[in-house]
Amino acid sequence: MAMKLLLVALLALAFALAVLASDPSPLQDFCVADDSSKVFVNGAVCKNMNDVTADDFYTSGLDKPGNTVNNVRSNVTAVNVNKIPGLNTLGISLARIDFAPNGLNPPHTHPRATEILVVLEGELYVGFVTSNIGQTNRLFTKNLKKGDVFVFPQGLIHFQLNTGKYNAVALAGLSSQNPGVITIAKAVFGSTPPISDDVLAKAFQVDKRLVDRLQAQQWTDNNN
């Protein structure tokens, strides 16, 4: 009997943790983020219902291409709770991604969201890498054309590369009001303060001088 009660308690705890692991769920029609509040909560404090307007659920500009004049020749225009306060507690956001020819959205992760991407124009080579399955990190890739859709599971490293001769555009939906993004190269070689070159040299099995060059290059990119 005690074992059954323990099992029930563990299942209840697992269910509770699974619920808490996602964005906070709305307990009313909406909870528009109050940017003026100084109270810190997981998500954002709700604006008074009487102060909410249609503009709290609106933004514009996704018809305009992002600036791809940069080292990776791509640009991400995010539309999350910071752009639309009405997204607070709704567990959804989106992004427009523009690619010049050979443009790359570098390997990165979204710690709080699954991503579903649709190609609006052009051709993309996309993929994601799994977590350690046994001793293997499996790579799943696909060549996409206009109208094609691909899913990147939450938290997994993924990328998109424009393989066409012309500009490409994609639209991504994400299952969080604030998905977060960790760009691998920037996080590893451009953190503040920097990760020890001894650590990185051993992790990547390369000479420390190469690590120093990569860190210097990432610092330059971060400050340009």
Side-chain angles (χ1 to χ4, degrees), residues 54-126:
D55 285 341
D56 290 315
F57 304 92
Y58 168 84
T59 192
S60 62
L62 279 191
D63 59 317
K64 298 178 177 62
N67 183 5
T68 57
V69 181
N70 52 55
N71 288 343
V72 293
R73 298 174 60 81
S74 71
N75 184 283
V76 178
T77 304
V79 181
N80 52 35
V81 71
N82 298 317
K83 282 276 188 72
I84 303 180
L87 286 175
N88 189 40
T89 75
L90 298 185
I92 192 170
S93 61
L94 61 84
R96 170 179 172 145
I97 313 169
D98 289 278
F99 303 84
N102 204 39
L104 171 70
N105 190 11
H108 62 281
T109 73
H110 301 294
R112 295 180 290 277
T114 291
E115 175 181 342
I116 183 167
L117 178 138
V118 57
V119 179
L120 302 181
E121 295 291 343
E123 302 175 7
L124 295 176
Y125 170 69
V126 306

Side-chain angles (χ1 to χ4, degrees), residues 129-138:
V129 181
T130 67
S131 58
N132 296 7
I133 300 176
Q135 297 298 316
T136 303
N137 297 95
R138 290 190 62 190

Side-chain angles (χ1 to χ4, degrees), residues 205-219:
Q205 295 294 291
V206 296
D207 190 275
K208 284 201 294 184
R209 289 171 294 183
L210 175 58
V211 171
D212 292 338
R213 289 199 296 272
L214 291 170
Q215 288 179 320
Q217 180 60 54
Q218 191 62 60
W219 186 91

